[in-house]
Amino acid sequence: MRIHHLPTAEALAARLGELWSGPRLDPFAFDLAVVPGAGFQRWISQQLSLYGADPGICAGVEFASWAALERRILPDDPWRPEKLAWTIQSLVDGEAAEDPALAVLRRHLDAAPEHYSACRRIAFQFAGYLRHRPALIGGWLAGGDSDEAGEPLREDAWQAHLCRLLGQATGVDPLQWRGEALTRLSDGPAPGLPRRIAVLAPIPLDPAADELLTALGNHHEVDLLLLTPEADSAAGDHLLGRLQSHLAGAAGTSMPLPAGDASVQVHLSHGPDRQVEVLREVLTATFAADPGLEPRDVAVLTPTPDLFAPLIGAAFAVPDHPAHRFRVQLADRSVSQVNPLAGLLLDLLQLPDSRAEASTVLELALRPAVARKFGLAADRRDRLVELVESSGIRWGLSARHRERFGLVGFEQNTWFAGLQRMLLGVALDESGLVTAKTVLPLDDVESTDVELIGALTELIGRIVRVVDTFGQPASVAEWVERCRAAIGSLAAPSAADEWQLADLWSGLARLSGSAGPGPVGRGDFRRVVEHEFTNTRARATFGNGSLIVAGLESLRHVPHRVVVLLGWDAEHYPRSAPRDGDNLLRRHPQPTDPDPAAFDRQVLHDAVQAARQQLIVICRARSEATNEQVPLAGPVLDLLAAVDDVAATGTGVRASEAISIQHPLQPHDPAYFGADPSRSRLVSADRNAYRAALAGQEQPLTSTRGRFQLDPLPPLSLDQGVSLDELTGFFAHPTRALLRVRAGLSLGDRPQAGDDLPIEPDHLARWQVGNRVLQRLRDGQPFEAVQRAEWLRGEVPPFELGSRELHSVLEQAGSTVAVLPAKLGEPTLHEIALAVPVGDRLVPLSGRVVSHGNELLGVEFSSLQARHRLVAWLRLLCLAAAEPGPWRARVIGKGRRAAYQAPAPEIALELLGRYLELYQLGLSRPLPALPRLGAQWAGYLVSGRNPHEVPDSAYRTNWEYDQDAAWNAFFSYPSVLSVEREVEIPGADPAEPRLLGALADAIWTPILAGEVAP
């Protein structure tokens, strides 16, 4: 074995080219390069292809990691931790389950939801003993119960006993097995290995690796190429070179920091999302400053690639930004992050332990591969949520599935019950309260919903079968087949995504090969799948010309002109060693023991040495929540201290401070765009942020903070006509109608699947149940049928809670029905079609009104509200203007009634014109026409009291009752009372200065004038 010390990666590549440039004994043989990471593999292959006077290709070279080389040399190691974990689990869950010597371990396992994680940790712990303390394992196998220093194990004695049980179970002494394997390797070449082997820039080698390389070198040409940066006191006049030489051990005095030296930059920022924005602007400026710099010349290294990957994808996809054109590739993401089918499988394995909430199952159903399998189009998402919500589905696949959560004998609100309601609703409506056994049909199922309901039913049926299949223990091989069947039945990736299936099957096949034949439970198998797909890095393409964002190891030692260290924050870096109290390596630590923190510090050192032109550090120095300072990571502080050792400013400012830039919390801070000359190093190419900064410098808006500022919109054309429902809907809530009709906004109205059973229905839920019960009783439905229908609907609490709630609702509804007139005329449907004069044109107004004799009757479950009276008045005006006759309207609510006498037809038509003008005006600007506030104001006018003299506090109750997200978007209390009248309000007193007063006068004065005794 030959050992080579090279100062740079380029020198290492040249030396390897020299070593392998001669002819092979066998022209068809391969050479083997052992590389530290996938990125280094790609880079060294490119360097080999360029070696020599005539660049060509890199061929005849195999690449492997150090771990892969060990597996090739020692392929059948029965104590390999991946296999040993299953052996441990079969012992502790089988023949040694009651072994008193394992009582401490048994207590630990009994407290865990699954055993595989603990068994896997123990297996890797034993592998660490074999590698770093082989004498400890040898002593235990010989019957000893002490640690390496001869001290008693005490509470850790179970490890020695378990070690002996493993020796018996495997029939192998691992030390003897390894010794024999090394002897065979010393006596002859390793089968299947090339003659020439080069180990390139390896991680620090432990004694076990030294033994292996020594034995391998007896019959193979082994070259160990180590990177040993040289300490050069004359490293150049730029800070990066001086810093690299200093970290390599060069002695010397500090140099003056050259003006404009940007070879080392430290950007202090906030949380991950803000750091990515800073990265985008820094890279944009870097590329702009050096036209010869290409994306392949830049590497971004981060300790947490899974955390930053989606943020980078979003930040660099902004279309109005120069960075949108950068070729950015994300590497070192976990398989579960990259492959959606792996995430789907993990969710399916978790589903039997979950409550199968409506939102959870809907999220699963709308995954692209699942939606494609069942034909669930994206534009049907809202309708699917509406069906699930209206059918009462909350959680639980079925009543049997709910039993494990302690809810027995209550089938309502399950997926099974909800789907039955949908399917019955395809054939029947709810009007007759017809039930099929315990199923009430879902109302308002449209013909276009049939295919959607069928697809959802098939999906839930397959999910139920998957959950049932996953309920029984099985061998890992059987679990793999179950998973393949589950994914095949639920997902159909597109042709472009077929790689996801191949990747998933490959990972599952690896699981089959590493496990024993014994049965394991679902929890254990899910943990196995998590380790396989969450801890395994997805395949990435390096060296294709893209700017690479990678983890700490893939691009280790790979030189780049610009190296960016992103997210090296104290909470993520350096990694701390696992604090396992039973790890005996921690009793008497040795310098060659694994140390994640020391490894991460070395990675930082290697990253600094890999930079050829610039080193850029972006890290968290302030809280994103409070903007307060937070500590930097220890190694980053060491790096800044090294900068101070090699450079000085001569102005009293430390060099580390001179190269550091503190970024503002917001990307639209004016300092980025030249507003603060003292912070000229802050630059940004974000056009949206620039526009925001300009807006921030303008005169502040006078409107209340947090409210919409809406300039008047062009008047809405009424030439196509207005429906009566549109008119009444507008006056019930003008601002909501404005946002919906003119802006397409529905604040808080998007359907969302609820997951909770209705244990304590709020006022709105109680009103919905009560109003429905009231209408059914008013239609003459039997009391018992109405009660049963509400039970089956699933909108009342379960068991006795629901009984009390439903009894109260029925009693209240019954009392309201009891006050209805005893002799109501037969209902008559009136088709309304009017041409209403509005200004100089006629506006079509159409709708339907139902009368009983000469009376319109409205019945409300809740207390009689202003909007109920307003709606009744508008319907009465339409009927009076359309058909002759003395018409009345009566509205009955809880504890109160109101009645109105229709005006003459010509007056009714004139009033409708006024309301249509207000309708048009209210759809072009927000009007504070809150029903209760308007009725209160008009009530003062009619009674002769001046509303302006009433204290503002008197209006608070009605404001708080009416206000919601739509009203709060434009108005607040008490300023809503004093909004000035800036527009003509038809029918209002011209002398009224306040907009609320003018609206109340125009809308409510005719209503109050038409009110008669009920």
Side-chain angles (χ1 to χ4, degrees):
M1 179 174 66
R2 295 172 295 186
I3 301 177
H4 311 261
H5 292 274
L6 292 313
T8 65
E10 292 89 346
L12 183 149
R15 178 63 57 84
L16 182 62
E18 294 174 8
L19 294 171
W20 284 357
S21 60
R24 301 186 182 96
L25 295 178
D26 181 356
F28 298 102
F30 278 70
D31 296 327
L32 176 63
V34 181
V35 294
F40 191 91
Q41 170 185 327
R42 180 63 173 168
W43 178 82
I44 197 66
S45 68
Q46 292 176 337
Q47 297 303 304
L48 290 175
S49 70
L50 298 174
Y51 179 77
D54 299 316
I57 63 171
C58 177
V61 179
E62 293 182 65
F63 295 95
S65 65
W66 176 259
L69 175 65
E70 285 195 335
R71 287 195 296 270
R72 289 179 65 175
I73 298 174
L74 308 173
D76 301 318
D77 185 358
W79 282 59
R80 188 160 59 92
E82 292 83 2
K83 288 185 176 181
L84 195 65
W86 295 107
T87 307
I88 294 173
Q89 183 159 348
S90 65
L91 283 173
V92 298
D93 289 343
E95 58 190 75
E98 303 299 329
D99 193 330
L102 300 179
V104 173
L105 176 59
R106 171 53 52 189
R107 287 197 299 271
H108 175 72
L109 294 175
D110 289 344
E114 45 84 22
H115 295 171
Y116 176 77
S117 296
C119 295
R120 188 177 188 274
R121 181 185 64 80
I122 294 170
F124 275 88
Q125 195 163 286
F126 278 16
Y129 297 161
L130 279 170
R131 193 169 194 91
H132 302 282
R133 304 289 191 277
L136 183 64
I137 295 292
W140 289 352
L141 291 174
D145 285 316
S146 60
D147 64 13
E148 58 182 309
E151 299 175 359
L153 293 175
R154 295 184 292 274
E155 68 275 6
D156 294 322
W158 61 269
Q159 297 192 55
H161 184 70
L162 179 60
C163 180
R164 290 188 285 271
L165 291 178
L166 290 172
Q168 297 170 9
T170 60
V172 173
D173 181 330
L175 299 180
Q176 180 181 349
W177 183 88
R178 182 178 177 86
E180 293 173 352
L182 292 176
T183 300
R184 290 192 299 272
L185 191 60
S186 299
D187 293 342
L193 279 185
R195 186 177 65 86
R196 297 195 301 198
I197 300 173
V199 181
L200 310 178
I203 60 175
L205 300 175
D206 52 41
D210 290 341
E211 291 178 353
L212 189 64
L213 286 175
T214 301
L216 189 63
N218 287 339
H219 295 277
H220 295 264
E221 293 183 16
V222 177
D223 289 284
L224 182 60
L225 283 72
L226 304 177
L227 277 179
T228 310
E230 292 181 348
D232 183 4
S233 58
D237 57 356
H238 57 85
L239 178 59
L240 178 60
R242 289 277 184 170
L243 178 63
Q244 290 171 333
S245 183
H246 175 74
L247 294 178
T253 59
S254 65
M255 69 168 193
L257 183 66
D261 189 336
S263 60
V264 179
Q265 302 176 24
V266 179
H267 295 267
L268 306 176
S269 185
H270 301 77
D273 53 343
R274 188 72 186 96
Q275 290 182 47
V276 169
E277 293 172 338
V278 171
L279 169 70
R280 182 185 62 194
E281 304 310 323
V282 169
L283 288 179
T284 302
T286 302
F287 282 115
D290 187 352
L293 189 68
E294 299 182 13
R296 65 183 176 184
D297 299 325
V298 180
V300 179
L301 308 181
T302 174
T304 52
D306 279 343
L307 172 64
F308 281 98
L311 300 174
I312 290 174
F316 283 78
V318 177
D320 197 25
H321 196 286
H324 179 64
R325 299 189 297 271
F326 295 172
R327 293 180 59 188
V328 179
Q329 180 170 316
L330 302 168
D332 289 342
R333 299 181 68 188
S334 64
V335 174
S336 61
Q337 288 278 336
V338 174
N339 189 342
L341 293 184
L344 173 63
L345 177 58
L346 289 170
D347 288 345
L348 290 175
L349 288 168
Q350 183 66 30
L351 196 57
D353 288 333
S354 76
R355 299 192 309 165
E357 297 91 342
S359 59
T360 300
V361 178
L362 280 174
E363 181 182 350
L364 186 149
L366 294 171
R367 291 180 181 230
V370 179
R372 190 172 185 273
K373 177 80 171 182
F374 294 92
L376 302 174
D379 59 356
R380 300 286 284 164
R381 181 261 179 201
D382 285 354
R383 181 55 181 163
L384 182 61
V385 174
E386 287 176 5
L387 287 170
V388 170
E389 181 74 16
S390 59
S391 64
I393 297 172
R394 295 298 178 266
W395 65 270
L397 294 173
S398 63
R400 182 168 62 89
H401 177 239
R402 272 187 177 164
E403 290 178 0
R404 70 189 66 181
F405 300 100
L407 188 60
V408 181
F410 188 74
E411 189 172 343
Q412 283 85 350
N413 307 113
T414 63
W415 280 97
F416 186 75
L419 287 173
Q420 285 184 316
R421 290 197 63 201
M422 293 184 205
L423 292 170
L424 191 58
V426 172
L428 300 172
D429 61 25
E430 192 185 321
S431 58
L433 300 186
V434 177
T435 60
K437 295 186 178 179
T438 59
V439 181
L440 177 73
L442 179 63
D443 214 2
D444 296 328
V445 174
E446 303 169 0
S447 59
T448 55
D449 297 330
V450 175
E451 186 175 351
L452 188 63
I453 292 172
L456 182 61
T457 302
E458 179 64 24
L459 170 62
I460 299 302
R462 295 189 185 189
I463 289 177
V464 170
R465 288 193 290 273
V466 167
V467 169
D468 290 341
T469 303
F470 284 176
Q472 299 299 321
S475 67
V476 171
E478 291 171 331
W479 272 112
V480 167
E481 290 306 314
R482 290 178 180 179
C483 292
R484 290 177 66 97
I487 294 296
S489 68
L490 294 175
S494 64
D497 294 332
E498 283 290 338
W499 65 268
Q500 298 175 10
L501 275 178
D503 188 53
L504 184 64
W505 300 155
S506 176
L508 291 175
R510 287 193 296 270
L511 296 182
S512 295
S514 65
V520 296
R522 181 178 42 76
D524 292 313
F525 182 73
R526 185 179 191 278
R527 190 63 65 185
V528 175
V529 174
E530 281 184 352
H531 282 294
E532 176 62 33
F533 294 111
T534 303
N535 297 340
T536 302
R537 294 300 168 187
R539 183 180 305 171
T541 302
F542 294 93
N544 62 357
S546 300
L547 186 158
I548 295 292
V549 181
L552 301 187
E553 299 181 25
S554 290
L555 292 176
R556 190 178 183 193
H557 303 303
V558 178
H560 286 82
R561 290 178 62 187
V562 178
V563 173
V564 182
L565 308 182
L566 174 68
W568 295 51
D569 305 333
E571 58 264 39
H572 301 302
Y573 169 84
R575 295 169 294 178
S576 58
R579 299 184 179 277
D580 298 324
D582 54 8
N583 189 342
L584 300 181
L585 293 181
R586 299 174 66 85
R587 282 194 178 186
H588 307 284
Q590 299 294 327
T592 58
D593 290 348
D595 186 348
F599 176 80
D600 284 354
R601 288 175 180 268
Q602 181 62 42
V603 168
L604 175 60
H605 182 277
D606 296 339
V608 174
Q609 298 293 347
R612 295 295 178 260
Q613 180 176 315
Q614 264 188 315
L615 174 70
I616 300 173
V617 181
I618 302 174
C619 58
R620 181 174 182 258
R622 288 184 177 273
S623 166
E624 57 270 33
T626 65
N627 206 31
E628 296 177 341
Q629 287 189 343
V630 297
L632 298 177
V636 175
L637 289 173
D638 294 341
L639 180 66
L640 294 176
V643 169
D644 289 331
D645 290 339
V646 301
T649 63
T651 61
V653 177
R654 292 184 300 175
S656 59
E657 296 179 5
I659 66 170
S660 298
I661 304 173
Q662 177 62 62
H663 285 262
L665 178 60
Q666 301 296 342
H668 54 264
D669 192 289
Y672 278 115
F673 308 102
D676 187 352
S678 65
R679 305 172 71 186
S680 59
R681 291 187 296 170
L682 289 174
V683 294
S684 174
D686 188 342
R687 295 182 178 89
N688 291 329
Y690 176 65
R691 287 190 284 266
L694 289 179
Q697 298 297 303
E698 294 176 356
Q699 184 69 24
L701 300 175
T702 57
S703 61
T704 305
R705 182 183 177 188
R707 309 197 180 282
F708 294 172
Q709 180 73 19
L710 181 64
D711 293 331
L713 301 171
L716 185 70
S717 174
L718 303 183
D719 294 341
Q720 300 301 317
V722 179
S723 72
L724 179 56
D725 288 340
E726 289 172 340
L727 186 64
T728 57
F730 169 80
F731 281 100
H733 205 308
T735 54
R736 181 182 295 168
L738 169 65
L739 290 170
R740 183 178 64 251
V741 174
R742 301 305 298 272
L745 296 177
S746 297
L747 300 184
D749 290 344
R750 178 163 181 158
Q752 299 290 337
D755 294 334
D756 297 327
L757 293 179
I759 302 300
E760 294 183 358
D762 56 20
H763 293 297
L764 177 59
R766 193 173 190 276
W767 173 83
Q768 290 173 334
V769 174
N771 207 47
R772 190 169 50 243
V773 167
L774 178 61
Q775 298 304 324
R776 297 303 187 200
L777 293 177
R778 181 186 168 190
D779 292 341
Q781 297 286 357
F783 185 91
E784 294 77 9
V786 174
Q787 184 179 32
R788 175 177 172 78
E790 291 307 316
W791 266 115
L792 297 180
R793 195 186 310 279
E795 295 186 12
V796 295
F799 306 125
E800 185 59 30
L801 288 175
S803 295
R804 291 200 297 266
E805 182 71 25
L806 193 52
H807 177 76
S808 173
V809 169
L810 287 166
E811 185 177 22
Q812 181 177 328
S815 64
T816 302
V817 172
V819 301
L820 293 178
K823 295 181 179 180
L824 280 175
E826 290 296 322
T828 302
L829 178 63
H830 303 266
E831 295 283 354
I832 305 297
L834 295 171
V836 181
V838 177
D840 58 354
R841 65 191 186 282
L842 297 177
V843 175
L845 178 61
S846 60
R848 292 181 174 183
V849 175
V850 176
S851 68
H852 297 267
N854 67 337
E855 186 172 73
L856 303 183
L857 182 63
V859 183
E860 299 293 336
F861 175 77
S862 63
S863 300
L864 189 61
Q865 304 298 330
R867 66 177 182 276
H868 302 147
R869 299 158 58 197
L870 179 52
V871 169
W873 173 250
L874 291 173
R875 292 184 176 276
L876 179 63
L877 290 181
C878 285
L879 185 57
E883 298 183 16
W887 298 108
R888 283 170 50 96
R890 186 180 346 196
V891 190
I892 301 175
K894 184 176 69 173
R896 187 180 174 191
R897 290 173 285 178
Y900 301 95
Q901 183 67 48
E906 60 277 9
I907 297 177
L909 202 61
E910 179 185 348
L911 288 174
L912 286 173
R914 176 193 301 184
Y915 289 120
L916 282 171
E917 282 191 72
L918 290 172
Y919 170 82
Q920 186 178 40
L921 182 64
L923 290 181
S924 63
R925 65 180 67 215
L927 298 177
L930 291 84
R932 287 176 66 107
L933 273 182
Q936 182 181 4
W937 189 288
Y940 292 142
L941 288 175
V942 172
S943 65
R945 188 176 179 185
N946 188 350
H948 296 275
E949 297 177 355
V950 176
D952 288 351
S953 58
Y955 296 100
R956 176 181 291 275
T957 300
N958 285 329
W959 159 261
E960 291 179 348
Y961 188 93
D962 273 342
Q963 62 87 24
D964 58 13
W967 285 118
N968 288 324
F970 299 105
F971 304 105
S972 64
Y973 183 86
S975 61
V976 66
L977 303 176
S978 56
V979 176
E980 294 183 1
R981 175 180 175 179
E982 299 177 349
V983 64
E984 182 65 27
I985 301 299
D989 182 354
E992 174 56 58
R994 297 187 183 182
L995 184 56
L996 174 62
L999 290 168
D1001 186 18
I1003 296 171
W1004 283 97
T1005 300
I1007 299 176
L1008 298 180
E1011 190 165 355
V1012 295

